[in-house]
Structures are given as structure tokens and as C-alpha cells.
């Protein structure tokens, strides 16, 4: 049991799974993380959408049909009077009908020359949204890696705890057998036997509870990491990647924690949205070119061609006050984002301090638990020797045995908490990433997809072929 309880931090021999390999699997295959990457790729599309304001808009129209016209005309004239009198007025009527197939083809192109810098500000805001989405991805990456490390250590802790409980049951079974043998020869009473039986029943119950807890931890491992836990190697702290002092950890957290940087991008986006809304107050200048070819628009007009290039200036004077309301609203949103940044910094500082304090506490707890195990072993051996000469009762031996079991469980838990606390500190300062941990895996690069679609003018297929 001592080897099991202290084995979490010792090197493993021929282990099938290590902490690094488990983190790599979680980083590559976790569905929640992959869904967040897809969301970042979706956010990338906001940049070419904003850039479309710099590009012309072209439309082609066409029409074809049947045209029937039936029209008449009349003309007035005069003929001589055969009787020699004044000329006689005459009205002549004539008619004409025809069926033709008119068609037309036209093209219109529009280009915005000036719109109050709205396109430029929308593009910068979209780029800020992309950067903010990437920071959100960093947040989730850290969460998944921390969860994976915690689950990994949970399985190790619960497996070690189960082994401690099984070993305890074996010891209690042997103790009960010896107590019954001594009862048969009259050395102890029936009360001693009952106490040994009760302690064994409690140990069996604790073993079943430990087995249930281990089953739950294995299910969590499968959910987060994607494989069943098999022959897990011991985990070790990652203190070497964290700052050496609390002040350094706070400074790094306030500068590099992705929650803080995401809130900073939020301020930039809100500021640019103010500029976009203010652009609605400026004139808009656009250039429109049109060309059209028509046939048989009328019976008398076989063909008709038009072409034009028109520059248009629109100066907004008053649009019901909505534009002013949007400006005021966006300014309030900007103020809200600034306050959110302050709140996020305070929360980050609290997380760093809490994680740092937990790390220091777990270091001390491991040392105290190791001393407790050593002392409990010495005490149990002494009580057993005293019981052999009649100076201790069976209950004293059982209590000493249970104290040793509790000490070994506390040591296993302290070692688990020690490793998890080191990962928590690294997450709080914004350094829990594959690059910092040196995980043997290609890292996901958000810039690859962004560069592929940023300047795409046409196309409906995404870069991965869908």
C-alpha cells in the first residue's frame, strides 16, 4: 500500500498512456474543442464580408417575351366638289397589327467611392472579432487541457485509493481470522470478534465505494480524452513552466490570460462600432454604370441601345433620429466593455492568487501526508506488538489499521491535488498550451484558414473541401 500511495509521482515502467499523450488526444480529438475551432473559422468570414464594401457590385438582367400591337391612324383631307362648290373634307382610316419577340440584355455596375469610412471601420471591427474569437479558442483550449489533466489524475487517485481499500480488506480478513483463532483458544472475547467483523464490513463498503468512484472517473476520462484509460503512467507537476513568484504570476496573468486579451479586443470592437455608426452622418458618393440593349420595344423601334455613367452624392440631413440613437447606444456599449475589462482583470487576479495559494497548500499537504503515513505505520506495528503481549485490545489494532488507511488515502489525494494545482496555476496565468507544455502534436493555426479566405472574391467551397 505504501508503494501504491506514493507511486503517483514516481517514474513508470512500460506505461501505455502518459499525461502528455492523454493531453495530445484531448487537444486533437475533443469534440467541444473542434466545434470551437469551426466557430473561429466561421468568424473569419466576417472579414471578407466587410471587405466587400470596397468591391464593385455588378448585376446582369435579361428579358424575353411576345409583343402584339394593333393600332390605327386617320388622316384628314379634301376632295373637289363635283358640283363646283367648296371642297369636300374627307377622313381616311388605316390600321396595322404585328407580333414580334422583343428581348433585352443589360448590365449595371455600382461602386461606392465614399461612405464615411464605414467600410474601413467595419473591416477593422471584423478583424477584431476574429482576434477575439481566437482568444475564446485559447480559453477553451486551456479549459480542455486543464480538465484532461484533472481527469487523468482523478483516475490515478481513484485507482490508487481502490488498491489501498483492497489491501485494507485483505489485512482485515486476516485480522478477523486471527481473532477467531484466538477466540477459539480463549485469548479474546466474542466482542473482539464482533469488532473485527464490523471493521471488515466497513472496509468492504469502502472498497465498493472506491470502485464506483473509479468507474465514474474512467467514464469522464473517456468523454474528455476520447479513449479508455489503460495503464496510466504517474503524473508530475508542471511548476517549471509557471512564474517563480506570486507577483510574477499576477503580472503574467493580467497580460496573457486569454480572458483578459479577449476583453481588450472587445473594447476595440465597440470603439470601431461607434465609428461605423458615426459614418452614417457623412455623405455617400457612388458611381453607377449602366448599359442596355433592347429589340422591338415598340413595333416602330426595332433596336434600342442605352449606356450611362452616373455619379451620385447623397447627403443625409435627418433620418428620423435613429442614427443618433445608434451612436449613443454604441458609446454606452463601449463604456460597458471597458468596465468588463476591469472586471475580467479582477477575476483573473483572484484566480491567480487562489491557484497559487492552493499550490502552496498542496505542497505542504503532501509532506504532511507522507509524515502521517510513516507515523501511522510505526504506530500500527507498535500496537500489534503490544496486543500480542496483552497490553492492547483488538479494537486498538483495528483503529490503528484504519488510521493508516486514512493516512494513505490522504497521501494519494494530496499528490493528486499537488499536480492539479500546478496545472491550475499555469492555466490562470494563460500559459496552459501545447507550445508551453511541449506536447508532441501539431498545433492548430487559426491563421491558415484566415489567409485562405480573406481575399477570396468568389467561391462557395471552404478550404477543407466541403
Amino acid at each position: 500500500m505504501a508503494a501504491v500511495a506514493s507511486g503517483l509521482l514516481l517514474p513508470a515502467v512500460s506505461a501505455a498512456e502518459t499525461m502528455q499523450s492523454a493531453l495530445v488526444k484531448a487537444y486533437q480529438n475533443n469534440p467541444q474543442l473542434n466545434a470551437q475551432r469551426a466557430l473561429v473559422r466561421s468568424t473569419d468570414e466576417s472579414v471578407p464580408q466587410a471587405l466587400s464594401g470596397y468591391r464593385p457590385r455588378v448585376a446582369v438582367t435579361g428579358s424575353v417575351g411576345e409583343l402584339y400591337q394593333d393600332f390605327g391612324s386617320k388622316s384628314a383631307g379634301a376632295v373637289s366638289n363635283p358640283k363646283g362648290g367648296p371642297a369636300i373634307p374627307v377622313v381616311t382610316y388605316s390600321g396595322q397589327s404585328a407580333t414580334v419577340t422583343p428581348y433585352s440584355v443589360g448590365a449595371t455596375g455600382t461602386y461606392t467611392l465614399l461612405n464615411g469610412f464605414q467600410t474601413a471601420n467595419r473591416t477593422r471591427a471584423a478583424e477584431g472579432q476574429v482576434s477575439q474569437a481566437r482568444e475564446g479558442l485559447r480559453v477553451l483550449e486551456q479549459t480542455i487541457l486543464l480538465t484532461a489533466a484533472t481527469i487523468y489524475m482523478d483516475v490515478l487517485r481513484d485507482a490508487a485509493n481502490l488498491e489501498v481499500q483492497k489491501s485494507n480488506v485483505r489485512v482485515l480478513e486476516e485480522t478477523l481470522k486471527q481473532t477467531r483463532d484466538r477466540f477459539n483458544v480463549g485469548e479474546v472475547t466474542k466482542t473482539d470478534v464482533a469488532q473485527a467483523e464490523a471493521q471488515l464490513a466497513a472496509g468492504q463498503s469502502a472498497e465498493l465505494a472506491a470502485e464506483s468512484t473509479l468507474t465514474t472517473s474512467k467514464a469522464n476520462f473517456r468523454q474528455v480524452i476520447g479513449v479508455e484509460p489503460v495503464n496510466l503512467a504517474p503524473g508530475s507537476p508542471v511548476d517549471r513552466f509557471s512564474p517563480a513568484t506570486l507577483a510574477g504570476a499576477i503580472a503574467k496573468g493580467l497580460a496573457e490570460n486569454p480572458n483578459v486579451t479577449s476583453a481588450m479586443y472587445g473594447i476595440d470592437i465597440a470603439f470601431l462600432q461607434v465609428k461605423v455608426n458615426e459614418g452614417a452622418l457623412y455623405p455617400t458618393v457612388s458611381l453607377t454604370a449602366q448599359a442596355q440593349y433592347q429589340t422591338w420595344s415598340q413595333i416602330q423601334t426595332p433596336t434600342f441601345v442605352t449606356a450611362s455613367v452616373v455619379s451620385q452624392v447623397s447627403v443625409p440631413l435627418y433620418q428620423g433620429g435613429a442614427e443618433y440613437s445608434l451612436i449613443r447606444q454604441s458609446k454606452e456599449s463601449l463604456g460597458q466593455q471597458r468596465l468588463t475589462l476591469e472586471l475580467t482583470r479582477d477575476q483573473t487576479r483572484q484566480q491567480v492568487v487562489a491557484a497559487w495559494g492552493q499550490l502552496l497548500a498542496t505542497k505542504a499537504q503532501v509532506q504532511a501526508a507522507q509524515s502521517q503515513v510513516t507515523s501511522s505505520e510505526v504506530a500500527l506495528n507498535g500496537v500489534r506488538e503490544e496486543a500480542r503481549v496483552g497490553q492492547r485490545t483488538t479494537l486498538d489494532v483495528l483503529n490503528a489499521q484504519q488510521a493508516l488507511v486514512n493516512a494513505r488515502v490522504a497521501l494519494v489525494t494530496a499528490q493528486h491535488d499537488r499536480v492539479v494545482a500546478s496545472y491550475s496555476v499555469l492555466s490562470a496565468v494563460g500559459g496552459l498550451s501545447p507550445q508551453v507544455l511541449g506536447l508532441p502534436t501539431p498545433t492548430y493555426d487559426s491563421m491558415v484558414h484566415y489567409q485562405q479566405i480573406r481575399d477570396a472574391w468568389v467561391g462557395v467551397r471552404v478550404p477543407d473541401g466541403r
Side-chain angles (χ1 to χ4, degrees), residues 231-456:
N231 296 332
L232 301 187
S236 59
V238 288
D239 298 337
R240 60 190 181 279
F241 301 123
S242 299
T245 63
L246 176 58
I250 293 175
K252 185 175 182 179
L254 294 180
E256 299 181 14
N257 188 291
N259 289 300
V260 175
T261 52
S262 177
M264 298 171 85
Y265 283 120
I267 293 178
D268 295 339
I269 296 169
F271 174 78
L272 291 168
Q273 189 58 47
V274 173
K275 294 300 181 182
V276 169
N277 293 332
E278 289 177 344
L281 303 178
Y282 293 92
T284 300
V285 180
S286 61
L287 184 67
T288 302
Q290 291 182 322
Q292 188 173 30
Y293 175 81
Q294 291 180 299
T295 64
W296 300 108
S297 60
Q298 294 182 3
I299 295 296
Q300 298 90 342
T301 310
T303 61
F304 182 73
V305 179
T306 61
S308 65
V309 176
V310 178
S311 178
Q312 182 179 2
V313 178
S314 175
V315 181
L317 297 179
Y318 185 70
Q319 304 172 67
E323 68 277 22
Y324 299 105
S325 176
L326 287 173
I327 293 173
R328 295 193 302 269
Q329 184 183 46
S330 57
K331 287 182 177 179
E332 290 293 345
S333 297
L334 175 59
Q336 178 192 11
Q337 290 297 325
R338 287 171 175 160
L339 295 174
T340 299
L341 174 60
E342 293 302 317
L343 174 62
T344 304
R345 283 173 172 165
D346 290 340
Q347 292 173 341
T348 300
R349 180 188 296 271
Q350 183 272 334
Q351 291 172 359
V352 172
V353 173
W356 190 272
Q358 181 66 20
L359 178 62
L360 295 181
T362 55
K363 290 179 180 179
Q365 287 170 356
V366 169
Q367 295 178 352
Q370 289 172 338
S371 299
Q372 183 181 3
V373 169
T374 302
S375 300
S376 297
E377 289 174 345
V378 173
L380 176 60
N381 292 331
V383 170
R384 284 174 175 169
E385 292 298 326
E386 293 173 359
R388 287 192 181 95
V389 298
Q391 295 181 352
R392 291 283 185 169
T393 65
T394 301
L395 181 60
D396 293 332
V397 176
L398 294 174
N399 289 338
Q401 170 67 23
Q402 187 60 43
L404 177 58
V405 170
N406 294 339
R408 286 169 175 164
V409 171
L411 176 59
V412 169
T413 302
Q415 291 172 329
H416 163 277
D417 296 342
R418 168 76 174 87
V419 176
V420 172
S422 68
Y423 279 89
S424 298
V425 170
L426 195 58
S427 175
V429 300
L432 187 56
S433 65
Q435 298 90 333
V436 174
L437 295 176
L439 299 182
T441 177
T443 57
Y444 180 79
D445 188 359
S446 302
M447 285 296 296
V448 173
H449 178 267
Y450 177 78
Q451 294 295 343
Q452 288 173 334
I453 58 93
R454 186 182 190 278
D455 296 315

Side-chain angles (χ1 to χ4, degrees), residues 26-332:
Y27 180 78
Q28 292 177 341
N29 304 323
N30 186 272
Q32 185 181 4
L33 189 54
N34 286 328
Q36 189 70 19
R37 290 165 180 161
L39 178 61
V40 173
R41 293 194 296 270
S42 174
T43 307
D44 289 344
E45 296 291 348
S46 62
V47 175
Q49 291 169 14
L51 287 171
S52 66
Y54 286 122
R55 299 164 186 164
R57 299 175 183 270
V58 180
V60 177
T61 59
S63 64
V64 65
E66 293 289 331
L67 174 63
Y68 170 78
Q69 286 187 339
D70 187 355
F71 58 91
S73 63
K74 65 180 180 177
S75 60
V79 299
S80 60
N81 192 335
K83 297 180 180 182
I88 301 173
V90 176
V91 178
T92 302
Y93 294 90
S94 62
Q96 183 180 2
S97 63
T99 300
V100 295
T101 304
Y103 66 88
S104 66
V105 178
T108 303
T110 304
Y111 184 75
T112 301
L113 299 175
L114 180 65
N115 62 351
F117 303 102
Q118 292 186 71
T119 299
N121 290 322
R122 285 194 182 100
T123 301
R124 293 168 59 195
E127 290 171 343
Q129 291 171 353
V130 170
S131 298
Q132 189 178 45
R134 291 174 185 168
E135 295 306 302
L137 177 60
R138 282 186 60 210
V139 171
L140 188 59
E141 283 179 352
Q142 292 204 145
T143 301
I144 295 300
L145 291 176
L146 178 59
T147 302
T150 303
I151 292 297
Y152 187 97
M153 295 304 300
D154 287 348
V155 174
L156 283 176
R157 175 199 61 194
D158 297 337
N161 183 39
L162 178 59
E163 290 302 319
V164 169
Q165 299 299 337
K166 286 182 177 180
S167 178
N168 181 48
V169 169
R170 290 192 295 268
V171 172
L172 291 175
E173 289 174 343
E174 180 64 25
T175 301
L176 176 59
K177 179 178 178 300
Q178 294 175 358
T179 304
R180 285 173 175 171
D181 293 341
R182 295 176 65 190
F183 172 74
N184 292 332
V185 298
E187 293 183 3
V188 297
T189 65
K190 191 174 182 179
T191 301
D192 296 307
V193 176
Q195 290 172 339
E197 291 174 343
Q199 195 72 7
L200 175 60
Q204 292 171 337
S205 176
E207 179 185 350
L208 293 174
E211 187 173 359
S212 175
T213 302
L214 177 60
T215 301
T216 302
S217 296
K218 287 182 176 180
N220 294 334
F221 189 99
R222 176 66 178 81
Q223 177 189 1
V224 175
I225 298 177
V227 296
E228 296 293 338
V230 178
N231 296 332
L232 301 187
S236 59
V238 288
D239 298 337
R240 60 190 181 279
F241 301 123
S242 299
T245 63
L246 176 58
I250 293 175
K252 185 175 182 179
L254 294 180
E256 299 181 14
N257 188 291
N259 289 300
V260 175
T261 52
S262 177
M264 298 171 85
Y265 283 120
I267 293 178
D268 295 339
I269 296 169
F271 174 78
L272 291 168
Q273 189 58 47
V274 173
K275 294 300 181 182
V276 169
N277 293 332
E278 289 177 344
L281 303 178
Y282 293 92
T284 300
V285 180
S286 61
L287 184 67
T288 302
Q290 291 182 322
Q292 188 173 30
Y293 175 81
Q294 291 180 299
T295 64
W296 300 108
S297 60
Q298 294 182 3
I299 295 296
Q300 298 90 342
T301 310
T303 61
F304 182 73
V305 179
T306 61
S308 65
V309 176
V310 178
S311 178
Q312 182 179 2
V313 178
S314 175
V315 181
L317 297 179
Y318 185 70
Q319 304 172 67
E323 68 277 22
Y324 299 105
S325 176
L326 287 173
I327 293 173
R328 295 193 302 269
Q329 184 183 46
S330 57
K331 287 182 177 179
E332 290 293 345

